Amino acid sequence: NPLCLNQLQKDLEEVKELLTNATRKRVRDVLVAEKQKLELEIKNQPPLKPKDVAEEEKSSLGGYTVKINNYGWDQSDKFVKIYISLNGVQKLPAENVQVNFTERSFDLLVKNLNGKNYTMTFNNLLKPISVEGSSRKIKTDMVLVMCKKKREEKWDCLTQVEKESKEKEKAAYDTADPSEGLMNILKKMYAEGDDEMKRTINKAWVESREKQYKGDIPMDI
């Protein structure tokens, strides 16, 4: 139990401090015996399991944790670069900005930035990355995560989920009937557009219907 170990270590520190000030032999003997007992207890504590280490790390963070959702990215032949804006991040000690990489993921932890902790996790990256070749750079008001590509090829997006989402959207437009594909695009633009966009689409729709009625456009769109 990390908490128990922590308490034992604090007790031991206090006993050592008392020993430095104790002058009476009887008092010193009691403190020495207690010191040996505590050292033995600490030695016999079970080693921390990785999960306990993670929990202890989490409990030592303090403040509250914010998930980062905004980022920008681009790529070169060798790297995928993710830009995360965080005001004042360059003032932190370098060890407060941690990135853990796996072949298909990374997670970022920024500790104690203006009293808050910031996290960002990317799972299911589109293609495998080199853990050893990947790194992070701290710039003014920004963290740059550099994911080293295993193969020098273009990434269309960052994650597998984004790729699947794009493919579903494309499938909705790539129908056998071209006019149906156009209708799908118009419906999407209408649903996502502002009032001006809606008015423009409505106007175009009415005008196309009028022309069709007059016989200018024989095809029904």
Side-chain angles (χ1 to χ4, degrees):
N1 186 334
L3 196 60
C4 180
L5 182 61
N6 199 19
Q7 293 301 325
L8 288 171
Q9 284 165 340
K10 283 181 179 173
D11 289 348
L12 181 60
E13 282 166 27
E14 194 161 313
V15 167
K16 283 179 180 175
E17 200 175 320
L18 289 169
L19 258 171
T20 60
N21 298 319
T23 53
R24 308 286 299 164
K25 183 180 182 303
R26 190 172 174 185
V27 174
R28 284 185 66 82
D29 287 349
V30 169
L31 288 170
V32 166
E34 187 60 27
K35 175 174 168 281
Q36 288 169 345
K37 186 181 160 192
L38 283 165
E39 283 171 343
L40 190 63
E41 263 191 81
I42 288 168
K43 190 181 171 187
N44 291 334
Q45 282 286 311
L48 282 178
K49 296 192 288 294
K51 190 181 172 193
D52 293 335
V53 172
E55 288 301 318
E56 191 174 33
E57 170 90 353
K58 213 177 275 182
S59 67
S60 69
L61 285 174
Y64 61 96
T65 300
V66 179
K67 279 194 174 179
I68 304 166
N69 293 314
N70 295 326
Y71 63 91
W73 76 284
D74 69 4
Q75 60 186 309
S76 64
D77 289 342
K78 294 184 178 177
F79 288 93
V80 169
K81 306 167 192 175
I82 296 95
Y83 301 88
I84 299 123
S85 295
L86 288 167
N87 286 340
V89 70
Q90 72 279 6
K91 295 171 190 168
L92 290 177
E95 63 268 19
N96 281 32
V97 181
Q98 301 168 359
V99 183
N100 293 316
F101 296 95
T102 75
E103 194 177 68
R104 292 297 283 269
S105 75
F106 73 83
D107 61 86
L108 165 73
L109 170 64
V110 179
K111 293 196 282 188
N112 198 19
L113 176 60
N114 303 321
K116 297 176 196 169
N117 309 300
Y118 293 84
T119 64
M120 170 180 259
T121 301
F122 269 93
N123 291 317
N124 299 315
L125 288 170
L126 186 66
K127 297 174 191 290
I129 61 171
S130 159
V131 174
E132 301 76 28
S134 298
S135 62
R136 60 103 179 98
K137 292 180 181 176
I138 301 166
K139 298 179 174 290
T140 305
D141 299 333
M142 181 183 287
V143 177
L144 169 58
V145 178
M146 306 275 289
C147 296
K148 174 82 186 293
K149 295 176 179 179
K150 276 220 165 169
R151 289 186 300 277
E152 293 186 19
E153 57 188 328
K154 186 173 180 286
W155 288 27
D156 295 325
C157 48
L158 267 181
T159 64
Q160 198 64 36
V161 174
E162 279 178 70
K163 184 188 176 192
E164 286 163 13
S165 171
K166 277 185 179 179
E167 282 171 354
K168 275 183 194 165
E169 204 168 285
K170 188 170 179 287
Y173 299 150
D174 292 353
T175 58
D177 181 351
S179 64
E180 193 183 324
L182 176 63
M183 280 304 303
N184 285 337
I185 293 168
L186 283 172
K187 280 176 190 170
K188 184 171 164 55
M189 285 169 68
Y190 189 87
E192 294 175 359
D194 55 17
D195 290 344
E196 188 62 35
M197 175 66 80
K198 286 182 168 70
R199 276 195 293 272
T200 304
I201 292 172
N202 276 332
K203 186 167 177 280
W205 178 255
V206 169
E207 284 175 1
S208 77
R209 282 289 172 191
E210 283 173 356
K211 282 181 182 175
Q212 185 190 329
Y213 183 72
K214 288 175 187 170
D216 294 346
I217 304 175
M219 186 179 77
D220 180 11
I221 64 160

